[in-house]
Amino acid sequence: MGFWWRPLGVLAGVLLVALILWAGSGWVAALGFLAGIQAFVMLRRLWQEYRLARWLENPEEVTPPNAMGTWGDIFYRLEKLQRRQRDSRSELANALEQFEHAAQAVPDGMVILNGSEQIEWCNPASRKYMGLDSERDSGQFIRYLMRQAPFLEFLDAVDYSRRLVCKSPVNREITLSMQLIPFGENKKLLVARDITDLERVDAMRRDFIANVSHELRTPLTVVGGFVETLADAPDLPATESRRYFDLMLDHTRRMQHLLDDLLTLSRLESEEHSLKDEPVNMPELARALQTEAESLSRGRHRISLRLDSSATLRGNLQEIRSALGNLVSNAVRYTPEGGEITLAWRERDGEGVFSVTDSGEGIAAEHIPRLTERFYRIDRSRSRETGGTGLGLAIVKHVLTRHGARLDVQSAPGKGSTFSAIFPASRIQPYSSPESGKVIPFREREQAAG
Ligand code: ADP
């Protein structure tokens, strides 16, 4: 209503003046006055229309003209409209920019396809996974760019619940899971997710289950077989049945050993199981391990100990004992009779090194990096014969990693092996005198002890 008051007021005023003129000076004067006003209004309108036309030609750069009266009102409304449009355009641009940033940050490959399966847009990750480029490939038919048969079948199926698992066409090491999502009018969003790590974990899990089942099958079959034999032949001579029982016991122990190792590994892997730190007297532990080696060897090897340091280690005694014990038992098991085994504890550049050197069969270079994998064995039957589970070095690696330590293997076929557990300086505490608190080098201490 605000628009009408002024023009109607002006019109009423003009008519009033015309009426007064008519009454005072006759109708010619009144008509002349009205004609003059009409001519003024037309000229003004023409001028304002010209200004409006000029502004409409370039509304982005020029602000709407200024005027009084109804034209002023019209221009003001136009300016408001222009401002609102400008605001919503910048809001749209902001939203678009945000979307672009988000799409760039998304780790999955994303491609928008129109109804004819032409690429309308794709994000940077789609280049990494599918070799697509937003600028180069926009408008191209995706079928011509990705021609692998399973992908074409997947597109044909138009089954939005299906996922296609395939190798990336640009990098065979990457496994992708692709999905089509319908949206808008007849459009589709193709999403490609990198599931390489998931696949790897899944393969590891499958391998692990297969390995454990395989390891358990032999002893279970043996024990089952003997139980059946004993059940079918109750009158078996005592010596025979004794032999069967011994073998059954042997295989049962092997299963027990395997389960113990599996439980140890799973305990080490569980995050809740935090490391308990305590001072570990390494010279004492090394002597205990030497005794253990002698009892395992039963006189078949010459076993010696070299203590070049009295340093204490900060760590979990039980875990360290089990890890170093594994290295010692491996040396005994893989060194033929008459061989030599040396255990040593020393400091080197501040680090603490516990090593087990044997004169055994040695290991070819290609096996060394894989020794700490679960169930990895160079010679399966040799490992089984000696009661191995294939998990010993996997446990060693876990324990050492938990202590910030590393395993070093030096070996060559026929030349024996040295397995060294190298502990970081931060875990080593050199021996110091109980009286003065001063660090005493190992040699001096040994000499003082006589
Ligand atoms: P296992 O229970 O089979 O001994 P480990 O994980 O302890 O399992 O060791 C993995 C493999 O590494 C063994 O099967 C063996 O082939 C090899 N190995 C380990 N220690 C030695 C060694 N001192 N000398 C030769 N080979 C070794």
Side-chain angles (χ1 to χ4, degrees):
M1 201 57 206
F3 179 83
W4 293 105
W5 280 121
R6 267 169 65 124
L8 286 178
V10 171
L11 192 62
V14 168
L15 286 176
L16 191 70
V17 173
L19 274 177
I20 294 169
L21 274 176
W22 194 352
S25 315
W27 61 271
V28 178
L31 271 183
F33 171 71
L34 282 178
I37 291 288
Q38 176 66 17
F40 171 74
V41 168
M42 274 175 65
L43 277 174
R44 187 168 179 263
R45 205 174 94 187
L46 215 62
W47 167 239
Q48 300 295 22
E49 278 172 1
Y50 164 74
R51 290 175 77 193
L52 180 64
R54 241 185 28 186
W55 175 68
L56 285 176
E57 257 174 33
N58 208 355
E60 284 304 316
E61 281 160 30
V62 188
T63 49
N66 247 328
M68 300 270 287
T70 44
W71 282 100
D73 209 40
I74 291 171
F75 290 152
Y76 170 69
R77 281 163 201 238
L78 278 171
E79 189 185 355
K80 230 164 88 176
L81 199 71
Q82 184 196 28
R83 215 180 308 132
R84 215 181 302 145
Q85 255 184 358
R86 212 181 286 149
D87 284 353
S88 69
R89 212 173 311 137
S90 85
E91 265 172 32
L92 207 69
N94 275 347
L96 211 73
E97 198 180 332
Q98 274 195 1
F99 170 77
E100 279 280 336
H101 283 157
Q104 289 198 5
V106 170
D108 300 341
M110 297 200 301
V111 187
I112 293 180
L113 301 173
N114 65 14
S116 322
E117 293 174 351
Q118 282 167 297
I119 297 173
E120 285 198 347
W121 171 91
C122 55
N123 72 342
S126 64
R127 171 192 279 275
K128 181 173 158 201
Y129 296 134
M130 296 178 269
L132 302 177
D133 183 292
S134 191
E135 276 179 29
R136 188 193 60 205
D137 298 329
S138 174
Q140 300 275 355
F141 289 94
I142 193 148
R143 286 173 183 271
Y144 296 155
L145 300 176
M146 292 175 61
R147 294 154 174 268
Q148 298 80 354
F151 180 72
L152 298 180
E153 268 170 39
F154 171 67
L155 277 184
D156 289 336
V158 201
D159 177 356
Y160 297 119
S161 63
R162 193 179 144 193
R163 278 164 202 262
L164 171 73
V165 174
C166 60
K167 292 282 169 205
S168 153
V170 278
N171 183 348
R172 306 293 300 163
E173 307 221 316
I174 296 180
T175 308
L176 297 176
S177 162
M178 299 218 198
Q179 197 185 1
L180 275 175
I181 302 161
F183 81 101
E185 265 187 43
N186 221 3
K187 292 192 192 226
K188 287 173 216 158
L189 178 68
L190 174 68
V191 181
R193 174 163 299 167
D194 181 354
I195 54 161
T196 318
D197 286 346
L198 279 177
E199 280 279 292
R200 200 173 295 142
V201 170
D202 210 37
M204 269 168 66
R205 188 183 54 82
R206 281 196 303 267
D207 277 1
F208 184 69
I209 292 175
N211 272 322
V212 173
S213 320
H214 183 79
E215 294 293 327
L216 286 174
R217 191 181 303 131
T218 316
L220 270 176
T221 312
V222 172
V223 173
F226 286 143
V227 170
E228 262 177 38
T229 313
L230 289 168
D232 290 347
D235 309 327
L236 220 60
T239 46
E240 190 94 339
S241 54
R242 179 76 254 152
R243 202 169 63 83
Y244 285 180
F245 279 123
D246 283 348
L247 282 167
M248 277 160 57
L249 197 64
D250 213 35
H251 284 277
T252 315
R253 281 209 189 104
R254 190 198 286 185
M255 286 190 277
Q256 184 79 49
H257 196 174
L258 177 69
L259 291 179
D260 285 348
D261 277 0
L262 282 171
L263 282 176
T264 306
L265 258 183
S266 105
R267 213 179 35 242
L268 286 171
E269 277 174 356
S270 100
E271 281 172 19
E272 293 134 43
H273 181 66
S274 60
L275 189 66
K276 197 174 86 202
D277 264 355
E278 55 198 323
V280 178
N281 184 333
M282 283 303 282
E284 203 177 292
L285 178 61
R287 284 189 198 102
L289 289 171
Q290 183 190 17
T291 314
E292 207 169 292
E294 276 159 357
S295 101
L296 279 172
S297 158
R298 285 192 242 110
R300 286 174 296 135
H301 309 94
R302 258 173 302 138
I303 297 169
S304 52
L305 173 65
R306 270 193 64 175
L307 275 179
D308 288 336
S309 160
S310 314
T312 307
L313 178 69
R314 210 166 38 75
N316 182 311
L317 172 63
Q318 203 193 338
E319 286 184 18
I320 289 172
R321 192 191 168 104
S322 133
L324 304 185
N326 260 311
L327 298 183
V328 170
S329 102
N330 279 354
V332 174
R333 288 166 44 227
Y334 298 107
T335 304
E337 195 163 347
E340 236 174 88
I341 295 169
T342 308
L343 318 189
W345 172 240
R346 63 180 190 283
E347 282 167 77
R348 193 179 59 197
D349 303 330
E351 294 179 318
V353 183
F354 179 87
S355 59
V356 183
T357 304
D358 65 54
S359 61
E361 53 205 57
I363 304 163
E366 74 263 24
H367 295 296
I368 293 180
R370 301 197 56 191
L371 291 181
T372 53
E373 285 175 25
R374 295 161 181 196
F375 298 112
Y376 189 83
R377 289 134 152 171
I378 300 163
D379 179 347
R380 263 179 190 273
S381 52
R382 174 107 177 81
S383 158
R384 288 224 186 88
E385 266 166 37
T386 55
T389 60
L391 295 173
L393 289 179
I395 293 176
V396 172
K397 187 184 168 188
H398 259 289
V399 170
L400 294 189
T401 308
R402 277 162 67 79
H403 286 81
R406 60 186 197 276
L407 178 70
D408 176 71
V409 182
Q410 300 294 330
S411 186
K415 298 239 164 73
S417 319
T418 297
F419 283 74
S420 307
I422 306 172
F423 294 90
S426 56
R427 289 200 167 269
I428 304 299
Q429 203 173 2
Y431 179 83
S432 53
S433 153
E435 293 100 41
S436 65
K438 270 207 315 220
V439 171
I440 303 178
F442 179 75
R443 291 269 160 244
E444 277 177 31
R445 191 177 160 228
E446 289 289 289
Q447 277 160 12

